[in-house]
Amino acid sequence: MIDLRPVAHVCGLVTVALGGMMGFPMILDWTAGDPNWRAFLQAGLICVLVGGAVALATANALQAALTVPQVFLMTVLTWVAACFFGALPFVLGAPGVGWLDAIFEATSGLTTTGATVFVGIDDLPMGVNLWRVMLHWLGGLGIVIVAMLFLPVMKVGGMQFFRSEGFDTLGKVLPRALDISAALVQIYVVITVACALTYAVLGMSGFDAVAHALSTVSTGGFSTSDQSFAKFAGPLEYAAIVFMLLGSLPFIRFIQAWQGDWQPLWKDRQVRAYLRWNAYAIGVIVVYEVMTHDLPLEVVLREAAFNVVSIFSGTGFTSADLSGWGAFPFAVLFITGLIGGCTSSTGCSVKVFRWLILLEAARLQVRRLFEPNLVARLRYDGRAVDEDVLNAVIAFFTLFMLSFGLLAVALSLAGLEVKTAVTAAWTAIANVGPAFGPEVHPTGALLEFPAAAKAIMIFGMLMGRLELVAVYILFLPRFWRG
């Protein structure tokens, strides 16, 4: 039988921390004279009281090392608890928002998906808009820690390949884990501050600069305007490209660079492939647009680069009508969304590492067809890839595509038109952000989706963010038998 006390203890602490974070939007609304500050005060108190009671009731629960089943449960349930309690300010403060829409918005925020059910974002209280992007920022930081701390131990999707670069939660290296976590937070904060200052220098207001920096570095996609990034077209798009790319690169490499060793970042095969594939996608779309539309080259290049990097990284900002670009550019963007960012980043989807492993495995199989006596091991970045890593990557990829298909079918059965269902499934499981189709509001909001479709997307967003296996395994009876 699994001891649930350590899991409950961590969930309680996370809930308390979330309640404390609500103080920032509360102060913002209070100083602005907006009575909405009371909603954040009430929500914060509920989180602190409930989370504190749970944490106190399970005190001393973390004296022993965590088991793998406990790590699985803790990873999923802390995310679920954060989504539920993170929705409280929307229920108590955002006008006319029910529980389902509030949980959808909070889940989209924490999973850094960026899909929204809110319309009239420009008119929302400043505190509500700040809370939305804060959820992005906290979720982005959280998923990097999960990817570095827990997924390698859980052997999810081949992540055990990176275990030596992370840290072991089952052993005796907590001080090292805390040191690396502290370095990660410092780097995350520095990049966010640099992004906010850059936005402010280039013309954003102070609030917009901070809000969009939180959303950009976390590769989230929430904006303070219904127009998304189209409101800030021009030099700001180039700045956003840089920081979206930084947010979708491996943070373990930033830690190494922070310690004075830049070589791993420059030599990382994931980084090189990710930047190269972004360039390819931008290039083919620019060529297509130049050949089919009479637009200035700078505008075509800027819009193509911004929107490709936004979709590739899973940020989800838009600065143009992507569905109006034509079938070919839309197909390219759809594919980039299924690739995603690098492992151990705030990026989303399948991840570059897994695609590289799959491509290398396919190349090796083709060689064996022509050289039956070939003796060669699958290698990645100079390291041999164990059979269990390859099997985990193939299993993850299969499960991802199967889940994507099932989500699309479920959303179609929930009442969505086929194109809407497919793009909604894509945006949910890959944590990309935008969806396309007749049911999507002109601002891009999913407000008019049926309740069942929203519930399905909530589940899909959590599955995609937590790497599928971590969620699916909880439905197996043998898991609960230990």
Side-chain angles (χ1 to χ4, degrees):
M1 185 68 181
I2 301 173
D3 184 0
L4 299 179
R5 290 177 303 155
V7 177
H9 186 73
V10 173
C11 287
L13 293 177
V14 169
T15 304
V16 170
L18 198 67
M21 289 292 179
M22 292 176 188
F24 292 102
M26 181 192 74
I27 293 171
L28 179 65
D29 277 345
W30 180 69
T31 55
D34 193 318
N36 190 65
W37 67 269
R38 296 186 182 89
F40 286 101
L41 176 61
Q42 294 169 12
L45 287 175
I46 291 172
C47 290
V48 171
L49 291 174
V50 174
V54 172
L56 288 174
T58 54
N60 302 320
L62 290 176
Q63 290 181 338
L66 294 172
T67 65
V68 172
Q70 286 173 330
V71 172
F72 272 101
L73 271 176
M74 184 175 66
T75 302
V76 175
L77 294 185
T78 51
W79 227 264
V80 171
C83 291
F84 177 81
F85 286 100
L88 282 174
F90 301 137
V91 174
L92 298 173
V97 176
W99 266 107
L100 182 62
D101 284 350
I103 292 175
F104 183 100
E105 197 77 6
T107 304
S108 182
L110 281 165
T111 59
T112 71
T113 301
T116 183
V117 291
F118 287 178
V119 175
I121 294 172
D122 304 73
D123 301 322
L124 287 174
M126 292 177 68
V128 172
N129 268 327
L130 178 61
W131 183 240
R132 294 169 72 240
V133 295
M134 281 182 64
L135 289 173
H136 270 339
W137 196 83
L138 294 170
L141 178 63
I143 201 59
V144 174
I145 292 175
V146 166
M148 293 175 59
L149 185 62
F150 299 122
L151 295 184
V153 174
M154 295 152 67
K155 299 183 179 180
V156 169
M159 285 294 289
Q160 62 266 40
F161 184 82
F162 296 98
R163 185 166 177 172
S164 62
E165 294 182 340
F167 27 82
D168 189 347
T169 49
L170 303 182
K172 299 170 288 187
V173 290
L174 182 59
R176 184 179 173 221
L178 292 176
D179 289 342
I180 298 181
S181 297
L184 173 63
V185 172
Q186 290 173 347
I187 292 166
Y188 200 61
V189 170
V190 167
I191 296 175
T192 305
V193 171
C195 184
L197 291 174
T198 303
Y199 283 161
V201 168
L202 292 177
M204 276 191 186
S205 68
F207 177 72
D208 282 339
V210 171
H212 285 87
L214 295 173
S215 190
T216 302
V217 175
S218 63
T219 62
F222 280 158
S223 176
T224 57
S225 172
D226 283 324
Q227 300 176 59
S228 189
F229 227 83
K231 183 179 179 180
F232 310 103
L236 283 162
E237 289 177 278
Y238 292 115
I241 290 169
V242 173
F243 287 101
M244 285 189 290
L245 287 173
L246 288 176
S248 50
L249 296 180
F251 273 75
I252 186 68
R253 301 306 182 200
F254 292 148
I255 292 176
Q256 293 167 325
W258 182 269
Q259 296 169 342
D261 186 5
W262 288 85
Q263 289 298 317
L265 178 61
W266 309 135
K267 295 182 177 180
D268 192 310
R269 187 177 175 188
Q270 266 198 107
V271 173
R272 297 198 307 270
Y274 178 64
L275 297 177
R276 188 169 63 249
W277 293 352
N278 267 281
Y280 293 160
I282 294 168
V284 296
I285 290 178
V286 168
V287 170
Y288 178 89
E289 289 295 300
V290 168
M291 293 176 62
T292 57
H293 295 86
D294 186 20
L295 293 172
L297 179 60
E298 189 277 333
V299 173
V300 173
L301 179 60
R302 171 166 45 83
E303 288 189 351
F306 177 86
N307 289 284
V308 165
V309 172
S310 179
I311 298 297
F312 217 137
S313 64
T315 307
F317 285 139
T318 55
S319 65
D321 179 12
L322 303 185
S323 59
W325 280 8
F328 176 72
F330 189 81
V332 173
L333 290 173
F334 192 87
I335 292 169
T336 60
L338 293 176
I339 297 174
C342 298
T343 299
S344 301
S345 75
T346 63
C348 62
S349 200
V350 176
K351 303 288 195 310
V352 174
F353 161 71
R354 295 190 181 103
W355 280 102
L356 288 172
I357 291 292
L358 288 169
L359 292 173
E360 190 64 28
R363 187 188 67 82
L364 190 57
Q365 279 303 114
V366 171
R367 281 189 62 192
R368 284 172 176 161
L369 290 176
F370 294 96
E371 305 174 53
N373 297 322
L374 176 70
V375 178
R377 287 197 65 181
L378 181 65
R379 305 188 71 82
Y380 173 84
D381 224 4
R383 292 172 55 188
V385 177
D386 293 335
E387 195 71 21
D388 65 329
V389 172
L390 176 60
N391 291 337
V393 169
I394 293 173
F396 177 89
F397 184 81
T398 304
L399 192 58
F400 184 93
M401 292 303 173
L402 180 61
S403 299
F404 169 50
L406 290 174
L407 277 176
V409 171
L411 288 168
S412 181
L413 292 175
L416 297 182
E417 189 265 350
V418 173
K419 179 180 179 180
T420 313
V422 171
T423 57
W426 168 74
T427 207
I429 198 166
N431 304 122
V432 175
F436 306 91
E439 294 94 339
V440 178
H441 192 273
T443 63
L446 311 184
L447 177 65
E448 298 171 7
F449 276 28
K454 292 176 185 176
I456 292 167
M457 287 190 69
I458 290 171
F459 182 66
M461 288 187 286
L462 282 170
M463 279 200 309
R465 186 76 282 184
L466 295 175
E467 307 278 356
L468 301 175
V469 178
V471 176
Y472 278 133
I473 197 171
L474 301 187
F475 293 94
L476 298 177
R478 63 184 298 184
F479 171 84
W480 297 98
R481 293 196 296 267

